[in-house]
């Protein structure tokens, strides 16, 4: 059983593309092998900045022989048709078999294909994989790039290693792509061990690479970085702020990780931690190091790709200087921004928003801020916030977009606003709103709960939604350039997680949706369905509740849907729905036939059967319980009361025939069915439930 | 030469010597105001067409919005780039590049040199490429790009382009914390000069000029003029009666006007008179000129079209 080893050696592959590339290489090659009859035992893919590797264990030495039988034309078909069949099958006339068929005699071809050696199949599969590799972006290079059909790769591909290893030895797979012939040779670390060396199989490859200062497995590099960084920090009484995503990225930037730790110069320690972390993480790919005693970020970890002769002193010194230059910039912006806040306040800082276009049909950012402030004032009483505070918060919440710090580090929007608001002596609730009114930013982002933040966050999102709706810029298909779906989900999560009782239709109109308010509500209902489906609530359950009045109050809507879902999960609920459906069907047929609506009210005096009288009593009791439960919005109690109808309805249908000959009794029973339907429909539109 | 450079000009001279030894034609800076070394026609235009090319040069570059009155340790509105362009990109370009770092005293077993993804795009030139920013101990010291498209044309073949930010690189090599303190000539010279001795005055003056002085009305007019002149030059018939009726397209003179328009746009931007929405429109207008010049260049002899 041969084992296969592939290495595609190139100039530096972007770190963010490596995880996907590993998966793609594994998928393309293993699928290609299996499609061509080569099964395998196990496969694993690896990457470093300069190589993509794949090890496949336990391939057969050749693909199995296959036999295919193909039906051809009738034996009396024109000669041209028969010749065509011979060409297609590669057989001669005497090799065809004649067999009787329903419509006469036909030719049959038996095509035998011998197995092919694994090396030939691997060559074909790998060439295909390289030529069709789904890099997010790929390029041409060198002299070959004069030809438009030149090989494309993520960065110049330098060599291909492709070998099959058996007990008998190593076989280089005969393959040439874009002028590069496959071999058994690779290279070590760019600086520590640049010479080429041959390998005999995967184990040998991994071992030799390690001696050549390359750790092949990215997971091992990441683990080494985490471990070393933790140890180094711990030795100095500090701790590394966990950041697995950054560690994974760093692991994609180095073949031989060497952890170095440095301190942040004292003159920068007063900067907000987010500023320090942004400079370090986004720009330098440093891990942050915290002092557990103070909670302050005081140091950094950088990961070098070499074991430097001086122990990393020059590298650390250089990195510290680069960080100091960045933090000097940040401190300069911070000082300038604080000066602006001290002299002109946040409103002064935000004055320039008038010159920033939000959207050419929706005015400037300043226009938008004014609208949001008005809307926040309207919303405030509905969410328990002071209208003055909410309006004040909205007016300054976007002022930091004009700060120097956010100009340089856009990812700090809102976060800087909060610091500047605190420096301006504004109430903490107002300051928090600067940061939190952007939230929630996605399905898993935290939802603000402070009333002032909630008011501004809602106003911000509703203004965006309503205004874009009003100018006809709605999301379509995959196009949502203004992130309106995210804004919609934001409104939903703000309402639900805070249990807000909002009339979104009114608010959409107040936010300027004008004639599009109903359509915007329908959009929010669609987003709500997606949101609830993720939480396991069936779409027909939501539909049954959407059909009820007050459906622009999402909190009420969801309470009803949750109660209904819980009710349907019970035996009583399931059976009651059956009973309801039966009642509604009989009634609908009768109403259609008779051309009347049986809504005159049933009279217990025409009840003939005890089950009928019992149903009257049960309906009286249920109605008496449902009405107060509904006004108290206690949907569970309303559903319980409805559930009590199950027994009487079942007994009624068992004992009596609705469509009896006695017209009076029949009419009364139909009116009784109408009462069942009406009673149930007060709770939810059960007709919309799927059977 | 000692192992490590002693001055800014020493860094430049070493790069010149190195790339000369690598077979590049050492060109002189282009005699116009440009935002980056890429704008030099030796890069922008010569990256087009099938003819082999290898050039290296220093290019003074201007970024009016980066003026800081000579105060900021790292930012300048006028600075120098070192530019290398080789077509087609040689297979060992990375090694050759690393050799240039060694030539200025950066030992890759002492310093952490990394190729970090950075896809280059110039919206004004209608150009893009893939490559990296090169980090030395966490600092970006060069931009390394394989040009894929320039002026809207696919590069066939692809050029390899290296751009070194000379001040930043030299400051690092020389251990200077503030650009103005960096020795320009050898500190042991009879008259030692720092970068600040030479450029502090101009940085102050041009910062004021860029942010407050430049006449925006005039800049807008000149932008329109440059745009019109570029179009006008390209609208001439290809055949030139004074050159024996052979084709003689004025691709380079037209491209000069494109460069002018680009710099005028940068100045207008620094003066803060271009709104966010207008910005895209201006960039689009410069790009249209760059594309028209590229279209013209590829019909010329140097562009491989004649």
């Amino acid at each position: 059983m041969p084992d296969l080893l592939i290495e595609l050696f190139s100039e530096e592959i972007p770190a963010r593309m490596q995880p996907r590339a590993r998966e793609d290489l594994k998928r393309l090659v293993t699928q290609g092998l299996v499609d061509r009859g080569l099964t395998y035992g196990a496969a694993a893919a690896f990457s470093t900045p300069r190589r993509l590797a794949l090890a496949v264990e336990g391939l057969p030495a050749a693909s199995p022989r296959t036999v295919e039988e193909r039906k051809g034309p009738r034996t009396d078909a024109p000669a041209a048709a028969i010749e065509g069949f011979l060409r297609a099958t590669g057989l001669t006339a005497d090799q065809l078999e004649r067999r009787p068929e329903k419509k006469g005699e036909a030719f049959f071809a038996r095509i035998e294909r011998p197995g092919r050696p694994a090396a030939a199949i691997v060559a074909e599969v790998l060439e295909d994989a390289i030529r069709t590799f789904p890099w997010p972006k790929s390029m041409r290079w060198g002299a070959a790039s004069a030809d438009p059909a030149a090989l494309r790769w993520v960065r110049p591909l330098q060599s291909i290693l492709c070998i099959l290893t058996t007990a008998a030895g190593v076989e280089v797979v005969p393959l040439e792509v874009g002028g590069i012939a496959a071999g058994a040779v690779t290279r070590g670390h760019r600086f520590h061990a640049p010479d080429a060396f041959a390998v005999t199989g995967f184990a040998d490859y991994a071992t030799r690479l390690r001696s050549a200062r390359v750790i092949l497995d990215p997971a091992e590099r990441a683990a080494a970085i985490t471990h070393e960084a933790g140890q180094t920090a711990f030795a100095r009484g500090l701790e590394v702020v966990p950041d697995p995503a950054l560690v994974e990225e760093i692991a994609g930037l180095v073949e031989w990780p060497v952890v170095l730790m440095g301190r942040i110069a004292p003159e920068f320690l007063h900067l907000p931690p987010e500023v320090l972390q942004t400079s370090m993480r986004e720009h330098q790919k440093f891990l942050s190091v915290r002092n557990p005693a103070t909670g302050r970020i005081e140091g950094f970890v950088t990961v070098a790709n070499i074991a430097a002769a001086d122990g990393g002193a020059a590298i650390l010194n250089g990195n510290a200087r680069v960080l100091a230059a960045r933090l000097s910039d940040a401190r300069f912006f911070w000082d300038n921004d604080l000066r602006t806040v001290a002299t002109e306040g946040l409103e002064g800082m935000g004055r320039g928003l008038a010159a920033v276009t939000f959207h050419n049909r929706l005015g400037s950012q300043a226009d938008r801020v004014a609208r949001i402030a008005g809307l926040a004032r309207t919303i405030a009483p509905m969410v328990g916030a002071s209208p003055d505070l909410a309006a004040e918060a909205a007016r300054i919440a976007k002022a930091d977009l004009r700060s120097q710090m956010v100009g340089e580090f856009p990812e700090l929007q809102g976060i800087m606003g909060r610091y500047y608001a605190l420096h301006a002596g504004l109430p903490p609730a107002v300051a928090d709103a600067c940061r939190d009114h952007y939230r929630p930013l996605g399905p898993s982002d935290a939802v603000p709960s402070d009333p002032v933040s909630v008011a501004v966050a809602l106003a911000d999102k509703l203004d965006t939604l309503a205004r874009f709706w009003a100018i006809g810029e709605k999301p379509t298909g995959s196009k949502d350039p203004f992130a309106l779906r995210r804004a919609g989900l934001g409104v939903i999560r703000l309402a639900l997680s805070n249990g807000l009782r909002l009339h979104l239709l009114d608010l959409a109109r107040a936010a300027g949706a004008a004639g599009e308010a109903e359509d915007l509500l329908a959009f929010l209902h669609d987003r709500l369905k997606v949101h609830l489906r993720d939480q396991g609530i069936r779409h027909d359950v939501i539909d049954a509740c959407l059909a009820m009045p007050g459906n622009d109050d999402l909190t009420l809507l969801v309470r009803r849907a949750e109660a209904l879902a819980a009710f349907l999960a019970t035996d009583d609920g399931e059976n009651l729905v059956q009973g309801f459906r039966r009642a509604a069907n009989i009634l609908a047929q009768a109403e259609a036939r008779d051309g009347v609506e049986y809504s005159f009210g049933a009279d217990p005096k025409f009840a003939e059967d005890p089950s009928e009288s019992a149903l009257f009593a049960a309906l009286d009791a249920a109605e008496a319980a449902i009405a107060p439960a509904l006004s108290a919005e206690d949907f569970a109690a309303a559903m319980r009361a409805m559930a009590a109808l199950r027994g009487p309805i079942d007994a009624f249908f068992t004992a009596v025939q609705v469509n009896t000959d006695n017209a009076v009794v029949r009419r009364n029973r139909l009116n009784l069915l109408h009462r069942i339907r009406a009673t149930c429909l007060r709770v939810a539109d059960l007709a919309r439930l799927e059977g | 030469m000692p192992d490590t450079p002693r001055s800014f000009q020493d860094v430049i001279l070493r790069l010149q010597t190195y790339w000369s030894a690598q077979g590049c034609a050492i060109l002189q800076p282009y005699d116009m105001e440009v935002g980056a070394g890429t704008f030099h026609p030796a890069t922008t235009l010569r990256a087009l067409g099938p003819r082999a090319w290898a050039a290296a040069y220093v290019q003074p570059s201007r970024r009016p919005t980066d003026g800081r009155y000579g105060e900021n340790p790292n930012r300048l509105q006028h600075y120098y780039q070192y530019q290398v362009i080789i077509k087609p990109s040689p297979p060992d370009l990375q090694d050759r590049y690393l050799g240039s770092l060694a030539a200025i005293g950066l030992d890759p077993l002492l310093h952490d040199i990394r190729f970090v993804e950075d896809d280059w795009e110039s919206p004004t030139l209608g150009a893009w490429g893939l490559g990296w920013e090169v980090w030395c101990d966490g600092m970006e010291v060069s931009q390394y790009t394989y040009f894929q498209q320039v002026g809207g044309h696919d590069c066939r073949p692809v050029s390899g382009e290296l751009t070194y930010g000379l001040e930043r690189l030299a400051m690092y090599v020389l251990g200077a914390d503030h650009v103005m303190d960096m020795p320009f000539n050898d500190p042991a010279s009879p008259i030692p000069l720092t970068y600040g001795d030479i450029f502090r005055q101009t940085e102050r003056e041009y910062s004021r000029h860029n942010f407050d002085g430049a006449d925006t009305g005039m800049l807008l007019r000149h932008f329109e003029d440059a745009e019109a002149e570029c179009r006008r030059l390209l609208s001439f018939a290809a055949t030139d009666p004074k050159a024996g009726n052979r084709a003689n397209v004025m691709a380079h003179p037209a491209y000069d006007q494109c460069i002018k328009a680009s710099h005028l746009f940068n100045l207008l931007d620094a003066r803060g008179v271009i709104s966010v929405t207008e910005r895209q429109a201006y960039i689009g207008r410069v790009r249209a000129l760059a594309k028209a010049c590229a279209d013209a260049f590829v019909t010329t002899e140097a562009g491989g079209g004649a």
Side-chain angles (χ1 to χ4, degrees):
Chain A
M1 296 286 260
D3 294 335
L4 170 65
L5 175 65
I6 294 169
E7 183 201 61
L8 304 170
F9 186 84
S10 68
E11 298 179 11
E12 278 75 357
I13 307 166
R16 68 183 170 93
M17 297 181 189
Q18 290 173 31
R20 173 74 197 281
R22 293 193 294 268
E23 287 310 305
D24 286 337
L25 180 65
K26 185 168 145 183
R27 178 177 51 80
L28 288 171
V29 171
T30 55
Q31 240 171 43
L33 293 176
V34 170
D35 289 348
R36 289 164 180 78
L38 285 191
T39 54
Y40 63 98
F46 306 91
S47 67
T48 77
R50 294 212 291 165
R51 58 199 96 219
L52 261 182
L54 177 69
V56 183
E57 280 173 24
L59 289 172
S63 60
R65 192 181 71 100
T66 60
V67 177
E68 184 197 349
E69 199 173 71
R70 210 186 290 176
K71 185 185 165 189
R74 284 162 50 145
T75 48
D76 56 359
I82 297 169
E83 275 160 32
F85 184 62
L86 290 174
R87 262 197 311 278
T89 54
L91 299 180
T92 54
D94 59 318
Q95 291 174 306
L96 295 183
E97 195 184 318
R98 293 159 177 267
R99 246 188 254 165
E101 283 280 296
K102 270 183 239 152
K103 293 178 188 166
E105 195 182 48
F107 281 119
F108 278 79
R110 201 177 136 81
I111 308 161
E112 287 192 30
R113 290 195 190 86
R116 296 164 64 206
I121 293 176
V122 168
E124 187 180 294
V125 167
L126 183 56
E127 171 162 5
D128 215 36
I130 292 172
R131 291 205 180 273
T132 61
F133 205 85
W135 292 110
K137 263 186 192 172
S138 62
M139 55 167 279
R140 298 168 292 118
W141 66 92
S145 61
D147 179 358
L151 176 65
R152 302 181 73 90
W153 199 244
V154 63
R155 292 294 183 275
L157 182 62
Q158 291 179 327
S159 67
I160 300 171
L161 182 157
C162 187
I163 54 171
L164 286 165
T165 309
T166 57
V170 176
E171 179 186 8
V172 173
V173 172
L175 164 72
E176 188 178 315
V177 189
I180 305 167
V185 168
T186 186
R187 285 167 190 279
H189 188 282
R190 185 190 275 288
F191 302 116
H192 283 304
D195 294 336
F197 54 88
V199 301
T200 59
F202 177 69
D204 182 50
Y205 170 69
T207 312
R208 280 176 191 265
L209 277 181
R210 195 181 295 273
S211 345
R213 300 271 175 111
V214 174
I215 298 175
L216 178 64
D217 185 350
E220 187 188 338
R221 292 195 302 274
I225 292 166
T226 305
H227 178 76
E228 285 296 315
Q231 292 291 309
T232 310
F234 181 75
R236 302 194 206 175
L238 302 172
E239 65 188 12
V240 176
V241 180
D243 191 343
L246 181 58
V247 170
E248 186 184 335
E249 187 186 349
I250 297 170
L253 287 169
V254 294
E255 296 203 307
W256 190 255
V258 175
V259 164
L260 299 167
M261 196 186 117
R263 296 256 183 187
I264 299 169
E267 64 262 38
F268 303 121
L269 290 177
H270 69 285
L271 288 170
E274 294 92 338
V275 172
L276 295 174
Q277 278 176 290
T278 299
S279 290
M280 298 203 294
R281 184 187 203 280
E282 308 302 327
H283 301 273
Q284 300 300 131
K285 309 205 190 296
F286 289 171
L287 292 161
S288 294
V289 174
R290 188 163 49 202
N291 183 339
T294 59
R296 250 181 2 181
I297 305 290
E298 295 183 356
F300 64 88
V301 161
T302 180
V303 183
N305 189 33
I306 53 164
D310 65 351
I315 296 172
L316 196 54
N317 177 46
N319 275 286
R321 278 176 56 196
V322 178
L323 180 63
R326 283 203 187 279
L327 293 182
S328 301
D329 266 1
R331 189 176 56 167
F332 175 75
F333 299 139
W334 170 251
D335 291 344
N336 285 352
D337 287 344
L338 288 186
R339 200 172 308 128
T340 305
V341 169
T343 53
E344 304 174 54
L346 272 144
E347 303 229 14
M349 177 179 267
R351 207 159 284 139
L353 290 174
V356 182
T357 307
F358 170 61
H359 181 281
N360 57 14
R361 291 174 64 194
L362 298 177
S364 70
Q365 284 281 22
D367 298 334
R368 180 158 167 254
V369 165
R371 292 197 302 264
I372 294 172
L375 197 54
R377 183 178 285 284
T378 308
I379 294 171
M382 305 169 193
V383 302
S386 143
D388 286 346
L389 275 188
E392 183 184 5
R395 269 196 307 276
I396 55 107
K398 294 188 190 293
D400 69 349
L401 294 179
R402 298 298 291 175
S403 69
Q404 293 191 12
M405 188 74 87
V406 174
E408 189 71 11
F409 304 110
E411 57 271 51
L412 291 177
Q413 70 172 14
I415 292 166
M416 296 320 298
R418 177 172 165 275
Y419 284 109
Y420 297 148
L422 289 173
H423 271 267
L426 296 173
V430 171
D432 286 347
C434 293
R435 180 189 61 196
D436 293 338
H437 82 281
Y438 290 108
R439 291 182 160 169
L441 285 169
S444 52
D445 191 31
V447 180
S449 58
D450 180 89
V452 174
S453 290
V454 170
V456 182
L458 274 172
D460 188 13
K461 290 164 180 64
L462 284 169
D463 175 73
T464 300
L465 288 167
R467 296 288 162 169
F468 278 112
W469 241 256
I471 61 168
E473 289 279 0
K474 305 169 193 176
T476 51
S478 61
K479 287 207 185 77
D480 183 11
F482 306 109
L484 300 180
R485 291 194 180 104
R486 190 173 79 183
L489 179 63
V491 169
I492 290 165
R493 294 189 61 212
L494 279 160
L496 297 186
S497 83
N498 290 296
L500 301 179
R501 307 304 304 274
L502 304 171
H503 290 290
L504 287 175
L505 215 44
D506 295 345
L507 283 178
R509 290 193 184 104
E516 295 291 322
E518 299 271 0
D519 190 63
L520 175 54
L521 180 63
F523 165 78
L524 289 172
H525 282 157
D526 277 346
R527 302 323 299 162
L528 179 68
K529 278 192 215 175
V530 174
H531 177 64
L532 292 181
R533 192 179 55 209
D534 293 344
Q535 309 206 336
I537 297 184
R538 277 161 34 192
H539 71 94
D540 57 326
V541 169
I542 303 162
D543 281 335
C545 299
L546 274 176
M548 303 307 291
N551 68 5
D552 67 337
D553 178 344
L554 302 184
T555 300
L556 187 74
L557 181 61
V558 170
R559 271 195 219 155
R560 195 190 292 266
E562 284 169 350
L564 181 57
F567 175 61
L568 291 178
T570 66
D571 202 32
D572 275 353
E574 192 52 42
N575 283 305
L576 177 83
V577 172
Q578 300 304 331
F580 166 83
R581 209 170 271 144
R582 193 165 168 191
N585 285 343
I586 294 170
L587 186 59
Q589 282 163 14
E591 285 180 341
R593 196 174 55 213
D594 303 345
V596 290
E597 190 178 294
Y598 288 101
S599 54
F600 317 115
D603 193 331
K605 76 180 178 207
F606 298 119
E608 287 185 339
D609 189 87
S611 72
E612 214 168 349
S613 310
L615 183 54
F616 272 104
L619 278 167
D620 286 344
E623 280 163 9
I626 286 172
L630 285 180
S631 30
E633 294 173 3
D634 185 348
F635 296 109
M639 307 253 173
R640 270 197 307 278
M642 193 165 67
L645 292 174
R646 176 217 164 166
I649 290 175
D650 286 355
F652 170 75
F653 279 125
T654 313
V656 307
Q657 175 128 27
V658 174
N659 286 316
T660 165
D661 293 340
N662 183 330
V664 176
V665 172
R666 174 174 176 269
R667 190 165 58 238
N668 197 53
R669 285 180 181 162
L670 286 169
N671 279 320
L672 185 59
L673 294 189
H674 184 275
R675 215 179 133 188
I676 293 174
R677 186 173 72 176
T679 304
C680 291
L681 286 181
R682 291 187 65 191
V683 182
D685 189 351
L686 303 186
R688 287 176 192 261
L689 294 176
E690 288 169 6
Chain B
M1 269 194 294
D3 274 335
T4 54
R6 293 171 54 82
S7 66
F8 184 54
Q9 68 196 33
D10 193 5
V11 171
I12 296 174
L13 290 170
R14 284 167 185 246
L15 287 173
Q16 298 277 48
T17 307
Y18 178 83
W19 286 108
S20 174
Q22 293 293 318
C24 287
I26 303 299
L27 304 182
Q28 300 307 318
Y30 202 56
D31 59 341
M32 293 188 68
E33 298 147 309
V34 296
T38 307
F39 277 84
H40 196 309
T43 293
T44 315
L45 296 181
R46 295 290 173 155
L48 294 164
R51 293 192 161 196
W53 182 251
Y57 54 90
V58 174
Q59 180 61 50
S61 306
R62 300 197 189 211
R63 295 212 175 143
T65 45
D66 277 357
R68 294 292 183 275
Y69 302 83
E71 305 287 335
N72 187 287
N74 306 300
R75 287 208 201 203
L76 300 161
Q77 56 85 39
H78 173 281
Y79 64 105
Y80 291 104
Q81 285 192 340
Y82 196 83
Q83 178 88 4
V84 179
I85 173 138
I86 306 181
K87 178 171 75 174
S89 62
D92 58 347
L93 186 58
Q94 276 189 316
D95 290 335
R96 295 208 214 181
Y97 167 74
L98 292 167
S100 75
L101 295 187
I104 56 171
L106 291 173
D107 174 359
L109 286 174
L110 205 55
H111 293 280
D112 185 31
I113 291 161
R114 232 78 82 65
F115 293 86
V116 180
E117 176 191 14
D118 190 37
D119 300 342
W120 174 83
E121 189 182 3
S122 168
T124 44
L125 287 176
W128 69 276
L130 298 190
W132 311 272
E133 46 183 51
V134 183
W135 287 15
C136 174
D137 301 337
M139 186 179 63
E140 184 193 340
V141 291
S142 305
Q143 188 83 35
Y144 183 133
T145 307
Y146 293 101
F147 279 163
Q148 301 294 301
Q149 215 177 57
V150 173
H153 291 256
D154 280 344
C155 297
R156 289 187 192 147
V158 162
S159 302
E161 183 214 39
L162 307 170
T163 304
Y164 306 70
L166 279 173
E167 281 81 357
R168 205 175 348 181
L169 181 60
M171 279 170 71
Y172 191 74
V173 171
L174 299 168
D177 286 326
H178 198 296
V179 62
M180 294 299 171
D181 299 335
M182 174 166 65
F184 200 101
N185 60 0
D186 195 306
S189 305
I191 305 174
L193 293 167
T194 65
Y195 195 92
D197 292 332
I198 296 167
F199 286 116
R200 187 175 284 114
Q201 184 65 36
T202 50
E203 279 300 306
R204 275 190 204 137
E205 292 180 12
Y206 277 103
S207 294
R208 184 171 191 195
H209 167 265
N210 299 342
F211 293 126
D212 304 318
D215 177 349
T216 57
M218 180 203 73
L219 294 174
L220 281 166
R221 239 172 18 248
H222 285 186
F223 182 92
E224 306 280 342
D225 287 349
E227 185 183 40
E229 181 68 355
C230 179
R231 298 261 179 224
R232 198 181 67 81
L233 291 174
L234 292 175
S235 71
F236 275 62
T239 48
D240 182 354
K242 292 186 183 162
N245 273 330
R246 274 172 298 144
N248 188 12
V249 175
M250 290 178 279
H252 285 82
Y255 180 64
D256 283 353
Q257 300 301 320
C258 170
I259 293 179
K260 270 189 192 168
S262 172
H263 178 65
L264 289 160
F265 160 71
N266 289 341
L267 276 171
L268 285 163
D269 199 24
R271 291 285 283 109
V273 293
I274 293 180
S275 77
V276 182
T277 32
E278 285 173 323
R279 217 166 172 277
Q280 285 313 314
Y282 272 98
I283 290 172
R285 286 164 74 180
V286 178
R287 181 170 56 238
L289 298 182
K291 285 192 167 167
C293 295
D295 293 347
F297 177 75
V298 296
T299 68
T300 66
E301 194 182 327

